[in-house]
Each structure stands twice: as C-alpha cells, then as structure tokens.
Amino acid sequence: MYIGLYFGSFNPVHHGHLIIAGFIAGYTPLHQVWFVVSPQNPFKISHSLLNEYQRLHLVRTAIEGEPKLRASDIEFHLPKPSYTIDTLAYLEEKYPQHQFAIIMGSDSFQNLHKWKNSEVLMKRFPIFVYKRAGFEVAAGQSPNITILDAPLLQISATQIREMVKQGKSVRYLVPDSVKEEIEKNGYYR
C-alpha cells in the first residue's frame, strides 16, 4: 500500500486538516492518508498541547467511517521530541510491505532544511506539498516533490482554542463530533 503521512499536532483537528487529507487521498496515487499525531513537535511549545491521547481521539472521531483516512499514534511510542526521519525509519521497519510519502504545506516545506536529516528525507521519500498562501514553492526542486493545489480553508487551531476559551461556538470549524467531544470534556477551557 502507498501511504501518505500527514504529521501534525492536530490541536484540535479541524475542517482545514480534513479537507487537505480528503483531497490528497482522493486525487493522488496514495491509497491512504495517515494522520500522524505528534506528541511533541520539536518546533512547538508542548504546554499549549492537549494530551496526545485526547488529540488522537479527536482525530479518530473526526475521520470515523472514512476508509482512506487513518489516525496513527506511532510517534507516541518513539523518543521525544519526534523527528520525521526517525518515524519513517521505524515505519519502514514495522511495515516493510508499505511505501510511505510525506504530506506537508508549503510553509513547512520552506523550513524543511531545518529538519533532522532533511536531505535524506528529500532523496528517499516522495513529498506531497500543498500550497499555502504566502509560502511559494517552485516545482522541479526534486523529482520526489509533487506540488498540489489543494482546496484550503483559513482555519487555525490556535483560533479555535481561543474561541473555545472565550466560550464562543466553533460549529462549522470542526466536525460536529469533535465539537461535542471538546464541549463534553471541557477541552481548551
């Protein structure tokens, strides 16, 4: 199987994430897209994160019934902070029957040179880059890079967390099932 790995904090998962994953699952050669919930991103402050198991649960809730989308806790079992190259090495060992690709926005792609072993990542793994406004990316940088014009929504998890904290509705920004879980459990208050 050809699997795209969509790494992120998903704090919380929202319709912007789901639209990108659904588009990539439907309009690329990938057979599945795995949401790889990162327990600790080396570029983000961890105290602002909801517990990783709660974020994983929200992703699972959001994608329930979608056969081409899957939630992955693979990085929960690896040393922290999580580095993409280490995760991919582990996945290749655990699932030798699968081929893996990386999914990222053009904003992240512009910072790829700062990642651990970025040159190895670019040589060994296909990278699907979806364009984000203000972060241009040129085609032809590498044969392993595919540039995509995925539909984008200007939704931010930071904005959602702030709205919840202020007691405002996040309906239409997140799936109803995610909204219900956030409210029921008092997340982001």
Side-chain angles (χ1 to χ4, degrees), residues 45-65:
I45 300 166
S46 62
H47 75 268
S48 67
L49 294 177
L50 192 63
N51 172 287
E52 61 255 33
Y53 291 97
Q54 293 165 332
R55 290 182 284 120
L56 178 69
H57 174 67
L58 292 178
V59 171
R60 285 183 174 147
T61 299
I63 64 173
E64 191 173 336

Side-chain angles (χ1 to χ4, degrees), residues 126-188:
I127 302 175
F128 290 87
V129 180
Y130 58 90
K131 294 181 188 175
R132 296 193 71 170
F135 298 94
E136 295 309 311
V137 58
Q141 294 184 19
S142 163
N144 271 351
I145 297 168
T146 303
I147 312 287
L148 302 169
D149 279 312
L152 299 178
L153 291 179
Q154 296 303 315
I155 299 176
S156 114
T158 304
Q159 176 189 33
I160 291 168
R161 292 191 305 272
E162 191 55 38
M163 291 171 75
V164 170
K165 192 185 287 184
Q166 294 173 10
K168 296 183 177 168
S169 174
V170 294
R171 187 170 185 209
Y172 308 119
L173 299 175
V174 298
D176 288 342
S177 58
V178 170
K179 177 184 161 294
E180 289 166 16
E181 285 295 308
I182 289 171
E183 290 171 353
K184 180 175 81 177
N185 294 295
Y187 296 155
Y188 305 115

Side-chain angles (χ1 to χ4, degrees), residues 34-117:
W34 291 4
F35 285 79
V36 181
V37 179
S38 299
Q40 183 184 347
N41 180 321
F43 296 109
K44 290 191 178 179
I45 300 166
S46 62
H47 75 268
S48 67
L49 294 177
L50 192 63
N51 172 287
E52 61 255 33
Y53 291 97
Q54 293 165 332
R55 290 182 284 120
L56 178 69
H57 174 67
L58 292 178
V59 171
R60 285 183 174 147
T61 299
I63 64 173
E64 191 173 336
E66 292 292 336
K68 292 190 88 173
L69 304 180
R70 182 177 152 194
S72 172
D73 65 355
I74 201 78
E75 289 193 340
F76 295 14
H77 313 290
L78 298 174
K80 291 164 187 64
S82 307
Y83 294 99
T84 302
I85 191 72
D86 299 334
T87 303
L88 282 159
Y90 180 80
L91 285 169
E92 283 186 318
E93 189 174 304
K94 184 170 175 144
Y95 302 105
Q97 73 276 24
H98 297 324
Q99 179 188 359
F100 294 99
I102 303 166
I103 298 167
M104 67 174 59
S106 57
D107 53 338
S108 295
F109 184 73
Q110 285 190 352
N111 291 318
L112 188 60
H113 66 279
K114 296 178 184 174
W115 292 22
K116 180 180 176 184
N117 296 348

